[in-house]
Amino acid sequence: MTEHVWSYQETSGHLAGADLTGYKVKASDGSIGKVDKHSDEAGDAYIVVDTGVWIFGKEVLLPAGTVTRVDPVEKKIYVDRTKEQIKNAPEFHRETHLGDDGYHEELGTYYSRGPFGMPPA
């Protein structure tokens, strides 16, 4: 059920292998930070966003399925969640959560509810 959330949408414009590090990330209602790390691994693609002052000193992990558009010219990534939805996601700690199957499932379930809190059609 949550597998689709870990793959880029075909319409996002993301090219496998492109370096997204440093791209600015825009939620549906404003900027949330810059990409610090990303993965294109099939079925486990994601971006890690350094939120800077928005959520002081925190990083958030966003599954690739939340990405609606990648703009390589402007170096921006657009996601289909609000800042509040991202802030309320299960907390991310790089040293314990990367590669943690339980966290992966929890986050996948949270984001698979869709941008409006409902399961995708």
Side-chain angles (χ1 to χ4, degrees), residues 14-61:
H14 174 65
L15 298 174
D19 184 6
L20 303 177
T21 305
Y23 276 44
K24 293 179 180 173
V25 182
K26 302 281 186 181
S28 60
D29 59 351
S31 180
I32 62 167
K34 291 185 179 182
V35 175
D36 187 53
K37 177 179 175 45
H38 64 94
S39 169
D40 282 342
E41 189 173 323
D44 190 25
Y46 60 82
I47 58 176
V48 174
V49 181
D50 179 347
T51 62
V53 296
W54 175 53
I55 309 177
F56 187 72
K58 298 270 186 182
E59 292 180 318
V60 293
L61 189 145

Side-chain angles (χ1 to χ4, degrees), residues 53-115:
V53 296
W54 175 53
I55 309 177
F56 187 72
K58 298 270 186 182
E59 292 180 318
V60 293
L61 189 145
L62 295 172
T66 63
V67 174
T68 57
R69 185 163 64 102
V70 176
D71 184 337
V73 175
E74 295 285 326
K75 293 194 178 291
K76 291 182 183 173
I77 295 174
Y78 297 85
V79 297
D80 64 359
R81 299 299 193 277
T82 65
K83 292 165 80 171
E84 191 68 22
Q85 287 171 314
I86 293 166
K87 192 174 184 179
N88 292 334
E91 195 168 350
F92 174 67
H93 297 286
R94 180 188 298 245
E95 56 282 348
T96 55
H97 288 139
L98 284 181
D100 178 332
D101 290 339
Y103 179 75
H104 188 273
E105 183 65 28
E106 181 183 12
L107 197 65
T109 299
Y110 178 82
Y111 281 111
S112 68
R113 292 188 297 218

